[in-house]
Amino acid sequence: MSLLNPPRRDVRPATPAAGRAAARVPWPGAADREVLWLYLLTRVGIWTTAYCTRWLFADDGKARYAGSFFSSWQRWDWWHYLHIAQSGYFPDGRGPWSAGWDNREAFFPGFPFLLRAVHTVVPSWPAAGALISFVAGGVAVLALGRIARSYAPRPERGGAAGSRAALFFLLSPCAVFLAAGYTEALFLAFALPAWLAARRQEWARAAVLVCLATTVRVSGLFLAAALAVHFLTTARAPGHWWRAPWLALPALPPLLQSWYLHAHTGDWMAWKHAEERGWYRDFHTPWEAWQNTWHAAFGHAQSLGYALMCQAELLTMVVGLVLCGVLLRRRRWAEAAYIALSLWALGTSYWYTSLPRATLLWWPLWAGLAAWSLRRPRVTTAYLAVVAPLSTVVAVTFLSGRWAG
């Protein structure tokens, strides 16, 4: 039986009331506390790994200085978010027309603005970023557990489904980014509760949460599309359609961001053009992108580390396509639309970039793995034996500054 392909009774709760109850628990119950306990244990593990990595891969070549407590986390995209939080998008009149420009307008403002707000209370910028990700990650994993429980084949198995979804998610290969000063945790803290609200047909709440998600990542627009599909496929009563205007709300932050960037650059698509300049994310057909990534992975034209990274990108694309196909087969149209749009956005650049990180945002994958593992206990064993060690390797690679892409 394939991933996410349970019998029809597994797709929905045993009764509609059971699904709504799983999503409406106002305060963490026993199943929620189990998920949060897993979250705290994995946070201890990842911070212990960061501490050891800081000593094993010291900042100076002579290994006499281990670096500051947060030095391992100040990598790559973090600097873009920090610079936006500190000095805005166009400091001192500089911009895309300036030499050595960092293309920071490619990043949406939600995380940097929250970082600046938290920094008014937490003096250390890295500590402020870590605190945001820690709190947001807890909200996200709690919501993921509730989503998995709402899809459990039987109500009595809901607690196990939630715990396993959280376990698979927190031990996934790129889970280290949930603890870093990156946007994944904050995005999920809005996106997953939004999906729970949509499943309860609380459209105003869902739209507001998706609106907040679109301030953090462009993926919020894919979630907004999934929300619209879910609205259309669940419309029953005539009064249902009066809530349709809420679906337009998530488009507001990207429109405001485009207006702001246009006012400074004269370019309505400045954020997209910044991605093209800095990360080769100009449009290519899906087969061109696959071919370019394949050549980078197996053509002996790149360093071994980068070639391995490209191989991971290709494997993740295959996983995403299988996931999308299974969702379509199970007629989970909204979730399939979300995954398909994500794959299209990431699969039409010059070559694949950040696809493994994107799996953190694919909640149907983690809920589906949990449901599959309830029917096939060996799935959990295989996952822990193969994926968990890989996650440690990825975490050390990122924390040591040797991340290839």
Side-chain angles (χ1 to χ4, degrees):
M1 190 171 293
S2 61
L3 173 65
L4 272 177
N5 188 22
R8 188 167 183 81
R9 67 178 182 275
D10 291 354
V11 177
R12 296 180 178 85
T15 65
R20 289 192 295 269
R24 283 182 176 171
V25 179
W27 189 254
D32 291 328
R33 290 194 295 271
E34 180 67 22
V35 167
L36 291 175
W37 180 242
L38 284 172
Y39 179 68
L40 291 175
L41 285 177
T42 55
R43 295 315 87 188
V44 171
I46 195 65
W47 283 98
T48 302
T49 302
Y51 176 82
C52 294
T53 302
R54 186 165 58 92
W55 284 88
L56 291 173
F57 302 94
D59 287 347
D60 73 328
K62 296 181 180 179
R64 295 177 179 175
Y65 174 61
S68 64
F69 182 76
F70 288 104
S71 61
S72 297
W73 299 100
Q74 298 178 65
R75 308 288 185 192
W76 316 113
D77 290 357
W78 160 256
W79 296 112
H80 293 285
Y81 302 129
L82 178 63
H83 294 156
I84 296 170
Q86 289 177 329
S87 56
Y89 279 97
F90 304 102
D92 303 321
R94 298 176 66 243
W97 52 86
S98 305
W101 181 242
D102 59 7
N103 299 305
R104 67 182 68 183
E105 67 271 24
F107 298 88
F108 279 37
F111 183 85
F113 283 11
L114 182 58
L115 178 62
R116 186 176 183 89
V118 174
H119 177 64
T120 61
V121 179
V122 180
S124 167
W125 287 102
L131 179 61
I132 292 171
S133 292
F134 178 76
V135 174
V139 173
V141 76
L142 184 62
L144 176 63
R146 292 182 179 183
I147 289 174
R149 292 201 301 274
S150 71
Y151 283 124
R154 296 188 300 275
E156 63 270 17
R157 302 298 300 275
S163 297
R164 292 194 186 187
L167 181 67
F168 294 154
F169 173 66
L170 294 170
L171 294 182
S172 62
C174 288
V176 64
F177 293 101
L178 296 171
Y182 278 43
T183 57
E184 279 81 0
L186 184 61
F187 175 82
L188 290 171
F190 295 132
L192 298 186
W195 192 248
L196 284 171
R199 281 175 54 76
R200 298 192 299 265
Q201 298 190 7
E202 296 177 355
W203 301 112
R205 180 179 298 179
V208 169
L209 288 169
V210 176
C211 182
L212 292 171
T214 57
T215 69
V216 179
R217 295 178 66 97
V218 69
S219 308
L221 293 176
F222 311 151
L223 181 61
L227 186 70
V229 172
H230 187 61
F231 182 89
L232 294 173
T233 55
T234 58
R236 297 294 182 269
H240 185 96
W241 296 98
W242 288 103
R243 300 178 178 87
W246 282 107
L247 302 179
L249 184 62
L252 183 60
L255 288 174
L256 291 175
Q257 176 73 351
S258 295
W259 172 80
Y260 171 79
L261 295 177
H262 174 266
H264 288 79
T265 66
D267 182 3
W268 285 103
M269 295 294 292
W271 67 271
K272 182 65 172 64
H273 295 150
E275 286 193 338
E276 294 174 359
R277 289 191 305 269
W279 294 271
Y280 301 102
R281 287 187 170 174
D282 51 331
F283 179 79
H284 289 261
T285 61
W287 47 92
E288 286 178 321
W290 176 274
Q291 183 179 14
N292 293 335
T293 310
W294 184 275
H295 178 71
F298 301 106
H300 306 290
Q302 303 290 337
S303 65
L304 290 178
Y306 197 86
L308 181 62
M309 192 68 191
C310 290
Q311 292 172 25
E313 300 277 355
L314 292 168
L315 177 61
T316 307
M317 173 59 74
V318 172
V319 171
L321 291 172
V322 171
L323 173 62
C324 189
V326 171
L327 290 170
L328 288 172
R329 186 167 181 261
R330 299 308 305 165
R331 299 183 181 181
R332 288 164 60 171
W333 309 117
E335 291 155 299
Y338 175 74
I339 299 299
L341 288 171
S342 300
L343 293 175
W344 178 263
L346 294 170
T348 53
S349 301
Y350 177 79
W351 50 31
Y352 301 157
T353 305
S354 300
L355 265 168
R357 275 176 58 188
T359 60
L360 293 172
L361 313 183
W362 296 353
W363 77 87
L365 175 61
W366 311 116
L369 279 173
W372 191 24
S373 71
L374 291 177
R375 298 187 305 275
R376 298 288 187 271
R378 292 182 179 178
V379 170
T380 303
T381 304
Y383 189 94
L384 294 178
V386 176
V387 178
L390 178 61
S391 302
T392 303
V393 173
V394 173
V396 171
T397 303
F398 170 76
L399 293 167
S400 63
R402 288 159 173 78
W403 189 253

